[in-house]
Amino acid sequence: MRTASFSRLLLATGFAAATLSACDSTRQVASETSSDTVPSSPTVDESDVSFNREVTQGEYRFSVKTFGSQEPRIVSIRSYRGSAQTIDPLRVEVTGAVTNVASGDLNGNGKPELYIMTDNKKANGGLYAYEFAERGYAPISFPGTPAGNAGMGYTGQDMYQISGNKLVRSFPVTPTDSTQQAGNRTVEYTLDPNGKLVMGAQR
């Protein structure tokens, strides 16, 4: 009887030890597989401002700053209507150094657009555009490689400007055969109601 009680005591002690061991093991595995590191957004040195400009469109005002000189650069955008900020400060990544910003309302819908130009010379590079509403914004679709004859000899090195209600895009043309001459080409775009740039005249 005493032996049976002693055996039950050993069995209970062993079970308790196994249970504690299992709990400890589970805790260790959880600790090793869990991560306390939370992915963070790119950090910038806000004292290192490499571009700083404000532009206006009607009642709206945009403050645009670029931080640092490393790729990708971080651009800070603040949008105001009068003295009131319309959205939380927006930060976007761009390739190349910002060379200019412009605002407009190319489609005449009362929602201002902001165009950011960089010195990125790669094909279809150098333009970032957004349309702003009272309490939000939406990216504007990039035009891509010019279609048809306008795109013949296109290799990049785009330059952009706003002229009236059009976005004007200029780029050098590289001859694709002996019948063509080197030069520059200009293509105009309008903005449709859906925020898409539509190619128009070329010269």
Side-chain angles (χ1 to χ4, degrees), residues 109-190:
N109 65 356
K111 299 177 182 179
E113 306 115 26
L114 178 67
Y115 299 87
I116 301 173
M117 296 83 159
T118 77
D119 63 0
N120 179 14
K121 300 303 182 185
K122 291 184 179 180
N124 298 313
L127 179 69
Y128 301 83
Y130 308 90
E131 184 178 62
F132 289 80
E134 184 66 32
R135 295 300 302 171
Y137 74 97
I140 293 173
S141 301
F142 191 78
T145 300
N149 291 335
M152 294 184 63
Y154 170 78
T155 59
Q157 304 183 59
D158 301 287
M159 296 185 67
Y160 298 91
Q161 63 178 351
I162 302 295
S163 179
N165 64 343
K166 292 181 173 62
L167 174 71
V168 181
R169 178 187 195 181
S170 302
F171 52 88
V173 175
T174 302
T176 56
D177 58 46
S178 58
T179 64
Q180 295 180 335
Q181 293 183 340
N184 291 298
R185 186 171 295 146
T186 298
V187 182
E188 295 180 345
Y189 295 86
T190 56

Side-chain angles (χ1 to χ4, degrees), residues 1-14:
M1 187 74 177
R2 196 177 304 126
T3 302
S5 299
F6 183 68
S7 297
R8 283 197 296 271
L9 179 61
L10 285 177
L11 182 61
T13 304

Side-chain angles (χ1 to χ4, degrees), residues 6-172:
F6 183 68
S7 297
R8 283 197 296 271
L9 179 61
L10 285 177
L11 182 61
T13 304
F15 177 76
T19 303
L20 287 173
S21 176
C23 289
D24 288 345
S25 175
T26 302
R27 185 162 55 246
Q28 289 168 359
V29 169
S31 176
E32 289 169 358
T33 58
S34 64
S35 173
D36 295 330
T37 304
V38 177
S40 59
S41 58
T43 57
V44 296
D45 178 2
E46 296 197 7
S47 65
D48 184 13
V49 178
S50 51
F51 182 91
N52 185 3
R53 190 169 300 171
E54 285 193 355
V55 291
T56 60
Q57 174 62 36
E59 297 179 277
Y60 289 85
R61 174 171 56 93
F62 299 101
S63 174
V64 181
K65 290 183 180 180
T66 305
F67 302 106
S69 57
Q70 302 298 315
E71 299 289 355
R73 289 171 173 82
I74 306 300
V75 176
S76 168
I77 303 169
R78 292 176 183 266
S79 170
Y80 301 89
R81 185 174 186 181
S83 60
Q85 194 164 281
T86 63
I87 62 169
D88 291 335
L90 172 65
R91 282 191 175 180
V92 296
E93 293 185 351
V94 302
T95 301
V98 176
T99 57
N100 195 20
V101 293
S103 58
D105 183 10
L106 304 192
N107 56 11
N109 65 356
K111 299 177 182 179
E113 306 115 26
L114 178 67
Y115 299 87
I116 301 173
M117 296 83 159
T118 77
D119 63 0
N120 179 14
K121 300 303 182 185
K122 291 184 179 180
N124 298 313
L127 179 69
Y128 301 83
Y130 308 90
E131 184 178 62
F132 289 80
E134 184 66 32
R135 295 300 302 171
Y137 74 97
I140 293 173
S141 301
F142 191 78
T145 300
N149 291 335
M152 294 184 63
Y154 170 78
T155 59
Q157 304 183 59
D158 301 287
M159 296 185 67
Y160 298 91
Q161 63 178 351
I162 302 295
S163 179
N165 64 343
K166 292 181 173 62
L167 174 71
V168 181
R169 178 187 195 181
S170 302
F171 52 88

